[in-house]
Amino acid sequence: MCLGMFMAILDIQVVATSLPAIQQALGISRDAMSWIQTAYLIAEITAIPLTGWLTRLLSLRWLFVAAISLFTLASVGCAASGSFATLICFRVLQGFAGGALIPAVFSAVFLLFPLRLHPAATTLAGIVAVLAPTIGPVVGGWITDSWSWHWLFLINIAPGILATAATPFLLPQEKVNLAEFKILDRLSLVLMAIALATLELGLKQAPLDGWLAPRPLLLFAASLASGWIFAKRTLKAVYPVVELTTLRARAFAVGCGLSFCLGVALYGSVYLMPVFLAYVRRHDAFEIGTIMLVTGVAQLVAAPVAGYLESRRDPRKLSAFGFALFAIGLGMSAFQSRTADFNEMLLPQVLRGVAIMFCLLPPTQLALGALTAAQVPDASGLFNLMRNLGGAIGIAVIDTILYGRTVGHGEALRDRLIAGDVSAAKAIGLDVQLFLHPPPDVTQATIEAYVRPMVERAAFAMSVNEAWALLSAVALVALTLVWFWGKPHARS
């Protein structure tokens, strides 16, 4: 099951690093290119909260088999796509199947294992959930450089076939309950899909158009209205599509809040590093992935320690430690220089890698460990949904900072250079002697053409640092949340 979840999460990252190759091969416009990822994410975020209902309908066993089978077949379809429209259709199927796989695995931790094995099972699932985004860039870059973009999808086939063939024999047999179809609240299902899809689209568009522009506002209004009606209808339903009443449990509500903050910080950091390394440091995808492997190694080293402590210490204190360390690691990156590379990024990455395991494993136990078996599938869907929503919102805010602040920083640097500020010349990497004594035979236009890219990269680096500071602040919010409102659940 973890193998299937790993491929589903990895798929997002490996495709993200190779979008230009796919764009060129299929003749996709730059404006439409992002839909390769957006189509997947919308389908995924819609499927995640449905996992509880799908588990009651198909049983955990056959839900997983159906999801991994669909994911594998859709991967074949993506690799064989000869047009943009065909690729998007298969990406939607891929995303929906991948969205069902993730909460199914976390449900299995609490449904299939006795209490004494929860820490070990949670650790394994947690490693897979956070390691895939970290190694994704290096895998995607290596595949694109070594083979072709088709292999970004073909690598899913062998693991998919293995998981599809093995899980029916390894998971316990349960009855399929097709009567769930009859009692399905179809209107609530449609409302939930509209709310999540319009929210994802609004978050995609807001950094480009502006958060108060007509199109994002209309999308956010549609999301809010449909989400409000969905919640009101679902809370009154005898057979709800998603069991929202679980949020009344204090530990679960806090766990969802921590999952949201983790999503902002985790996906935000995985997004910021490649952006900085590609645009400012001019590294290719493989070099970026190699640098980012430090976080993955730190996660692997910290995972058994976090798993060991999880069964022996208060999950609230472990979560507080994790988010405090995460805030430090993120905050250190907020002061990185324009020339930052592997050495300067090493310690912050190590701290973040260690922290991530403590930000995921104890909050998962805090949120799901005290629930009944009947509550776990729906709760797992909500818990994982909050992490994905946090990532979507975090990346949208980061893009807003990068798009909105870079121009202002660039103008400020330009004004300082015109005024003869030597520190500004040093900040953009311009030789001080060249700045103070420009060659007499060089025109002003030539000087501006030479200096402009340096100003743009320096301004962009300043905006990236502000985004790192924002992520650190979110980790501190999570620390406050777990410390003042979290409460350890009773262990049986």
Side-chain angles (χ1 to χ4, degrees):
M1 290 183 75
C2 283
L3 177 65
M5 181 177 72
F6 179 80
M7 300 311 296
I9 300 175
L10 182 71
D11 187 85
I12 304 172
Q13 298 299 324
V14 297
V15 172
T17 60
S18 305
L19 284 176
I22 300 174
Q23 176 198 7
Q24 186 176 10
L26 297 181
I28 304 168
S29 68
R30 287 184 63 86
D31 293 339
M33 181 175 64
S34 63
W35 278 100
I36 297 172
Q37 288 294 78
T38 303
Y40 185 102
L41 294 172
I42 289 176
E44 181 190 50
I45 208 170
T46 303
I48 288 175
L50 282 177
T51 308
W53 175 75
L54 291 171
T55 302
R56 294 191 295 271
L57 174 71
L58 300 173
S59 77
L60 183 63
R61 180 193 197 193
W62 293 115
L63 166 61
F64 187 86
V65 171
I68 192 63
S69 300
L70 179 60
F71 182 81
T72 305
L73 290 172
S75 297
V76 175
C78 288
S81 296
S83 68
F84 177 62
T86 305
L87 177 60
I88 292 299
C89 290
F90 281 113
R91 286 291 281 171
V92 169
L93 293 176
Q94 217 187 11
F96 190 87
L101 289 172
I102 298 168
V105 172
F106 280 90
S107 294
V109 168
F110 296 94
L111 295 178
L112 303 183
F113 296 92
L115 184 63
R116 62 185 176 83
L117 292 180
H118 281 184
T122 308
T123 301
L124 180 58
I127 290 173
V128 171
V130 298
L131 188 60
T134 305
I135 70 169
V138 68
V139 173
W142 178 72
I143 289 174
T144 305
D145 292 343
S146 304
W147 299 335
S148 70
W149 68 268
H150 303 84
W151 284 96
L152 299 169
F153 304 105
L154 293 176
I155 59 169
N156 297 328
I157 296 175
I161 292 174
L162 176 61
T164 302
T167 45
F169 300 100
L170 298 173
L171 290 173
Q173 295 187 22
E174 297 174 86
K175 290 183 179 180
V176 174
N177 184 16
L178 296 180
E180 286 287 335
F181 264 127
K182 297 178 182 178
I183 60 175
L184 173 64
D185 186 349
R186 291 170 178 78
L187 178 57
S188 291
L189 176 60
V190 171
L191 288 168
M192 184 190 72
I194 292 174
L196 293 173
T198 50
L199 176 61
E200 184 74 35
L201 289 171
L203 292 171
K204 174 180 176 289
Q205 205 62 40
L208 301 173
D209 296 353
W211 288 79
L212 299 179
R215 185 161 43 173
L217 278 180
L218 184 62
L219 289 167
F220 289 139
S223 177
L224 181 62
S226 53
W228 174 263
I229 299 171
F230 163 75
K232 198 171 181 180
R233 182 181 177 89
T234 300
L235 289 171
K236 294 179 180 179
V238 179
Y239 302 105
V241 175
V242 180
E243 190 58 74
L244 297 178
T245 55
T246 314
L247 289 167
R248 292 172 182 165
R250 182 178 181 180
F252 177 67
V254 170
C256 284
L258 297 180
S259 183
F260 178 86
C261 292
L262 175 61
V264 175
L266 172 61
Y267 290 109
S269 60
V270 171
Y271 175 70
L272 263 182
M273 280 198 67
V275 167
F276 173 83
L277 291 171
Y279 183 72
V280 179
R281 302 298 298 144
R282 304 290 181 161
H283 289 310
D284 60 31
F286 184 74
E287 291 170 334
I288 292 170
T290 304
I291 293 172
M292 292 179 65
L293 274 179
V294 171
T295 304
V297 172
Q299 290 169 4
L300 288 174
V301 172
V305 178
Y308 174 81
L309 293 175
E310 183 189 353
S311 59
R312 293 165 174 80
R313 295 290 185 271
D314 179 354
R316 185 182 63 162
K317 293 180 180 179
L318 292 177
S319 300
F321 166 76
F323 280 105
L325 191 63
F326 208 3
I328 294 171
L330 293 164
M332 289 177 67
S333 292
F335 298 96
Q336 70 186 7
S337 66
R338 173 188 51 80
T339 58
D341 219 304
F342 181 86
N343 291 336
E344 190 172 338
M345 293 180 169
L346 179 62
L347 181 57
Q349 281 200 90
V350 170
L351 294 180
R352 293 199 295 267
V354 173
I356 285 168
M357 301 314 299
F358 287 92
C359 295
L360 177 66
L361 303 186
T364 302
Q365 185 68 34
L366 177 73
L368 304 179
L371 301 178
T372 65
Q375 292 175 310
V376 165
D378 276 302
S380 178
L382 289 172
F383 180 77
N384 285 279
L385 174 66
M386 294 304 293
R387 187 168 65 248
N388 280 45
L389 282 177
I393 292 172
I395 290 174
V397 175
I398 287 171
D399 277 343
T400 302
I401 293 173
L402 298 183
Y403 288 132
R405 298 283 294 167
T406 300
V407 174
H409 288 313
E411 291 175 349
L413 284 171
R414 180 176 175 276
D415 292 341
R416 288 168 59 192
L417 289 170
I418 293 174
D421 189 340
V422 175
S423 63
K426 292 179 180 178
I428 68 171
L430 182 62
D431 182 82
V432 174
Q433 291 303 316
L434 189 62
F435 174 67
L436 295 175
H437 308 288
D441 56 340
V442 178
T443 64
Q444 187 65 29
T446 303
I447 293 174
E448 289 184 4
Y450 177 74
V451 172
R452 186 182 298 112
M454 302 173 73
V455 171
E456 290 174 351
R457 285 196 294 273
F460 190 81
M462 294 167 72
S463 298
V464 168
N465 285 357
E466 291 177 348
W468 282 117
L470 171 71
L471 297 183
S472 180
V474 171
L476 290 175
V477 170
L479 175 62
T480 304
L481 179 65
V482 70
W483 191 254
F484 289 103
W485 285 281
K487 193 174 184 179
H489 67 269
R491 292 183 180 270
S492 51

